[in-house]
Amino acid sequence: MQAWSPVAVPATTQTFGPLRVFDSVSQELVQLDCDREVTMYVCGITPYDATHMGHAATYVAFDTLQRIWRACGATVNYTQNVTDVDDPLIERAAATDRDWQDIAVEQTNLFRSDMEALRVIPPANYIGAVESIDLVVERINQLKAADAVYDLDGDLYYDITKARLLGEIAHLSRDEMIAIFSQRGGDPQRPGKHDPLDALLWRHERPNDPSWPTELGAGRPGWHIECAAIALKYLGNTIDVQGGGSDLKFPHHEMSAAHAETATGEQPFARAFMHTGMVALNGEKMSKSLGNLVFVSKLTASGIDPMAIRLTILNNHYRTEWEWFDSSLDTAVARLERWRAALSQPAGALDITAQIGAALTNDLDTPRAIGLIDEWAHATLNGDDSDPSSPTLLSQTIDALLGIA
Ligand code: 5CA
Ligand code: ZN
């Protein structure tokens, strides 16, 4: 698939690092390598409804990681999928009497324009499920060879006893996993399954359900094998970072990692698993099903500077759960105005770029970086020109690392 337009990122003159981020498996900060080509897979959207601020926050977080990782010296090979065929999309199409493909194209286009507005660097590989059917079939065949697949009335399931580390990403007990599996696309109750936690790999063809003819028979991929197959193909058997929102820890990231490790026989699937906190509105997780949504596209259409939206997102640490308030956006609009006024002063910049780098390489501490810039802007606008260095360097650093132009 076509991603979206590239973003010009200014070169940073300083190199920052070491870079540490929080890994959901070890529940500790781990150091990411900066001296080589690194790989990052972030789960993409299911394009059945308009992308909202929660999605935007997740992709801005991983974009900020990519920017800091680059400034630390790494070349980042970034891959993202689009779940352009799955149950929610097909159900929405049926409910609205529309073609599922039309909905996917329309919503993926909206997502692309949101990402462009927020200055998110596009992935090098932007890959749809529909264009990955062959990859999925190849991986299911590998899983079969590993004796990890069984057939239930034509559907293929992954035998969960083959998983190395089940529960280690989300830190859930077996009972807890079974309890939430059905809310997250699983079918623990289906009669005939060997284990309630076995995950669907291949859904055989049914009336009014899209399917592709393959050597597995006609059907379509399960959700977790889609991401495993795409990540393995474009990034190799061990990726540096697997990312997404915290709602993807279980089952999605647990299952994708299990499928990948069983298929390749190599482990770990990812050196670090990173998860963003859920964004809420009116006290509840912003979600398509609840309908409590704020849209980037609506805000930008009403004349809001997308950089103020990005700044609102970054004023929250990516791992916290936070709530969207319109007043936070007002604060960001005013902040951006102050920063730009301070940066247009001919001199007076105290050199805070090293401190900004130190904050950001410490598990992406964007609120701390914003606080440092606030203090600097305040001092500069109050005529503190004790250090005559040029604001250009600072402006470039803010642009390169935080993505705020
Ligand atoms: N296509 C799958 C991943 S393979 C999927 O989960 N799609 S999604 O459209 O439902 O979500 C896309 C990304 O946005 C996921 O990483 C998800 O965790 C994240 N996300 C969804 N809602 C929120 C929210 N309220 N706050 C933060 N991130 C969210
Ligand atoms: Zn995924």
Side-chain angles (χ1 to χ4, degrees), residues 257-276:
H259 296 344
E261 290 188 1
T262 310
T264 64
E266 285 183 41
Q267 56 195 45
F269 170 58
R271 293 192 174 91
F273 288 84
M274 292 178 63
H275 295 99
T276 54

Side-chain angles (χ1 to χ4, degrees), residues 347-351 379-380 383-389:
L350 303 170
D351 191 6
T380 302
D384 178 357
D385 55 0
S386 52
D387 182 320
S389 58

Side-chain angles (χ1 to χ4, degrees), residues 41 43-44 81 83 223 227 242 248 252-253 256:
Y41 184 89
C43 283
N81 69 307
T83 308
W223 176 27
C227 282
Q242 156 72 310
L248 296 188
H252 187 51
H253 286 176
S256 288

Side-chain angles (χ1 to χ4, degrees), residues 41-48 51-59 62 81-83 86 223 226-227 243-248 252-253 276-280 285-288:
Y41 184 89
V42 178
C43 283
I45 57 162
T46 304
Y48 73 95
T51 55
H52 55 68
M53 197 58 68
H55 302 117
T58 289
Y59 299 108
F62 288 101
N81 69 307
V82 184
T83 308
D86 201 8
W223 176 27
E226 167 198 341
C227 282
S246 60
D247 58 340
L248 296 188
H252 187 51
H253 286 176
T276 54
M278 291 292 107
V279 181
K285 173 193 162 183
M286 210 179 268
S287 75
K288 297 166 190 171

Side-chain angles (χ1 to χ4, degrees), residues 93-358:
T96 54
D97 202 20
R98 294 191 61 195
D99 185 307
W100 62 275
Q101 285 150 308
D102 291 345
I103 299 177
V105 167
E106 178 188 286
Q107 296 309 325
T108 307
N109 280 335
L110 179 66
F111 176 69
R112 289 186 179 100
S113 51
D114 284 357
M115 293 298 100
E116 283 177 3
L118 294 171
R119 299 184 83 236
V120 171
I121 301 169
N125 309 293
Y126 193 49
I127 311 294
V130 170
E131 62 188 346
S132 307
I133 305 288
D134 291 348
L135 300 180
V136 167
V137 171
E138 182 189 322
R139 293 299 169 186
I140 294 176
N141 280 332
Q142 272 185 323
L143 289 173
K144 278 184 165 178
D147 198 24
V149 181
Y150 65 91
D151 183 306
L152 180 56
D153 302 332
D155 294 331
L156 300 181
Y157 279 86
Y158 174 76
D159 171 0
I160 200 66
T161 62
K162 304 287 180 189
R164 178 178 64 98
L165 281 179
L166 193 71
E168 302 280 320
I169 300 172
H171 300 279
L172 294 173
S173 69
R174 188 178 152 79
D175 286 346
E176 287 168 329
M177 288 190 281
I178 292 173
I180 61 170
F181 198 25
S182 57
Q183 300 154 27
R184 309 251 176 103
D187 55 358
Q189 318 287 4
R190 181 169 175 183
K193 283 178 70 172
H194 297 181
D195 187 302
L197 291 176
D198 293 339
L200 182 72
L201 292 167
W202 187 255
R203 183 182 150 89
H204 80 80
E205 106 182 289
R206 287 165 170 81
N208 300 318
D209 199 50
S211 68
W212 288 264
T214 72
E215 60 187 275
L216 300 172
R220 62 175 165 94
W223 176 27
H224 319 301
I225 192 67
E226 167 198 341
C227 282
I230 294 172
L232 291 171
K233 163 76 178 178
Y234 292 93
L235 302 177
N237 291 357
T238 295
I239 59 181
D240 288 289
V241 165
Q242 156 72 310
S246 60
D247 58 340
L248 296 188
K249 288 179 185 173
F250 178 84
H252 187 51
H253 286 176
E254 301 266 6
M255 297 296 179
S256 288
H259 296 344
E261 290 188 1
T262 310
T264 64
E266 285 183 41
Q267 56 195 45
F269 170 58
R271 293 192 174 91
F273 288 84
M274 292 178 63
H275 295 99
T276 54
M278 291 292 107
V279 181
L281 181 72
N282 304 329
E284 285 200 85
K285 173 193 162 183
M286 210 179 268
S287 75
K288 297 166 190 171
S289 47
L290 287 173
N292 55 340
L293 306 174
V294 174
F295 298 105
V296 172
S297 47
K298 265 201 186 154
L299 293 174
T300 53
S302 74
I304 299 289
D305 182 342
M307 292 296 92
I309 302 172
R310 185 165 173 129
L311 203 46
T312 307
I313 292 170
L314 292 175
N315 202 34
N316 301 279
H317 189 259
Y318 76 95
R319 279 199 281 126
T320 58
E321 314 255 306
W322 57 278
E323 181 154 357
W324 176 271
F325 293 110
D326 292 341
S327 58
S328 314
L329 181 60
D330 297 339
T331 304
V333 169
R335 169 174 280 137
L336 198 56
E337 211 170 286
R338 265 197 324 278
W339 286 10
R340 285 178 175 155
L343 288 166
S344 69
Q345 306 282 314
L350 303 170
D351 191 6
I352 56 163
T353 51
Q355 285 166 275
I356 293 172

